[in-house]
Amino acid sequence: MNKLMISMIVSLTAVSAYAYNPVIGGDNETDINDGIINIAIRMNKGASLCTATKISDNALLTASHCFDGMKKGSKSIGYSTILDNSAFSYSPLKIKKIFRHKSYNPKKMSLSSLDMAIVLIEPDSIFPLLETVEISYEPVLPDAQVKFVGYGCQLNNNDMSSFHPIKKSGTTKVISKDVFQLNFGVLTKVLRRNAIAIDKSLFITPGTNYVVGSPSVCHGDSGGPVLIDGKLVGTNTMFFPNDANKKGRSVTGLPYINLHTRISG
């Protein structure tokens, strides 16, 4: 999309992880007006909870996979800015159109595709009076310090029975593909098999099982913003564990690496 599509949509609207646990090792966020919200999408079964960022007066940027299985005919999503959303209190936003990146295929998830979507909100919908987050099209380079934000759950495992979103953030540094392949060859085969275009459409940050204490993305963080100096440079996509069981699920619930979709791809 990236720069051209977002630029076009932002100009128009200006007028009119897969994963686990609450940004493990991160910090609780205290600002409810920073333009980063929790969204609930009605699915064929239940609901999908993700994070989105306000990029213009009536547009949100989030992850495309958040809409996989969205109930046919749904005309709205729920939103909340509550920092600790234990009550699941959501207000409706009417959807005008959802732009999912053309390379994204929900039936055959290729991790080299851009897992990104823009949601246009109807002008008559009561959109929260939040700040708009500025987008940066500068490349995200290795060793760059980034901050990612999301509404994740509280749990350290795959039990989602007491899930509720908590707004947290983590600050970390980007890992280059070369450094990752040099030091962590075990997962490199997995990355190659899934055709991940690291350093092109995605970038990596270390998870808790990669570097102890590093922040990790989680359920509910998908689509949340990745920021450099307060400007939006990417979105949370998913993670890879290094202790997966036979079903591919992390035993500890702790991500090894976090994957983020870059806006400058």
Side-chain angles (χ1 to χ4, degrees):
M1 155 167 55
N2 286 29
K3 183 174 182 178
L4 178 60
M5 181 176 176
I6 292 177
S7 296
M8 290 174 62
I9 292 174
V10 170
S11 63
L12 287 171
T13 56
V15 178
S16 52
Y18 312 88
Y20 295 86
N21 316 328
V23 182
I24 305 166
D27 302 309
N28 289 346
E29 286 288 289
T30 58
D31 189 351
I32 64 172
N33 298 311
D34 60 1
I36 304 167
I37 64 175
N38 183 214
I39 58 173
I41 302 149
R42 186 179 298 174
M43 312 303 275
N44 291 323
K45 293 182 179 180
S48 172
L49 299 179
C50 285
T51 302
T53 306
K54 183 180 177 183
I55 57 173
S56 77
D57 287 345
N58 62 323
L60 300 171
L61 181 66
T62 188
S64 191
H65 78 254
C66 293
F67 301 96
D68 292 352
M70 183 178 183
K71 188 171 183 179
K72 189 175 181 179
S74 291
K75 299 295 184 182
S76 67
I77 59 175
Y79 81 89
S80 173
T81 58
I82 298 173
L83 300 174
D84 184 351
N85 198 16
S86 56
F88 285 93
S89 176
Y90 292 89
S91 301
L93 288 174
K94 295 180 185 177
I95 298 173
K96 183 175 183 179
K97 190 173 181 62
I98 300 174
F99 294 89
R100 304 177 79 181
H101 195 275
K102 63 181 180 180
S103 73
Y104 180 78
N105 184 349
K107 294 182 179 179
K108 188 178 180 181
M109 177 65 174
S110 170
L111 300 184
S112 62
S113 67
L114 289 162
D115 183 18
M116 194 175 286
I118 291 176
V119 184
L120 294 189
I121 306 301
E122 290 285 5
D124 63 345
S125 188
I126 302 175
F127 195 73
L129 298 176
L130 305 175
E131 297 176 9
T132 297
V133 179
E134 183 180 351
I135 294 172
S136 171
Y137 300 107
E138 294 297 319
V140 181
L141 301 176
D143 295 323
Q145 182 164 290
V146 298
K147 173 183 177 180
F148 58 87
V149 186
Y151 284 83
C153 62
Q154 300 184 82
L155 306 176
N156 267 352
N157 51 48
N158 295 312
D159 177 12
M160 300 295 290
S161 60
S162 61
F163 171 83
H164 72 262
I166 298 175
K167 188 178 185 180
K168 299 190 74 173
S169 66
T171 301
T172 186
K173 287 189 175 182
V174 175
I175 305 170
S176 73
K177 177 177 65 176
D178 293 338
V179 169
F180 178 79
Q181 290 179 332
L182 178 65
N183 295 296
F184 300 93
V186 175
L187 280 186
T188 302
K189 293 180 181 178
V190 177
L191 298 179
R192 281 203 300 263
R193 186 166 64 247
N194 285 280
I196 296 179
I198 302 297
D199 294 343
K200 183 177 180 182
S201 60
L202 298 168
F203 57 92
I204 303 173
T205 58
T208 303
N209 263 5
Y210 183 116
V211 177
V212 176
S214 294
S216 300
V217 295
C218 70
H219 287 301
D221 290 331
S222 293
V226 184
L227 309 163
I228 294 181
D229 296 329
K231 295 181 180 180
L232 184 60
V233 297
T235 55
N236 300 325
T237 297
M238 61 179 64
F239 79 98
F240 272 99
N242 67 332
D243 60 349
N245 59 22
K246 292 182 179 180
K247 294 183 179 180
R249 295 179 178 177
S250 172
V251 175
T252 63
L254 300 176
Y256 189 56
I257 57 169
N258 306 306
L259 295 175
H260 311 276
T261 300
R262 57 174 78 232
I263 287 175
S264 62

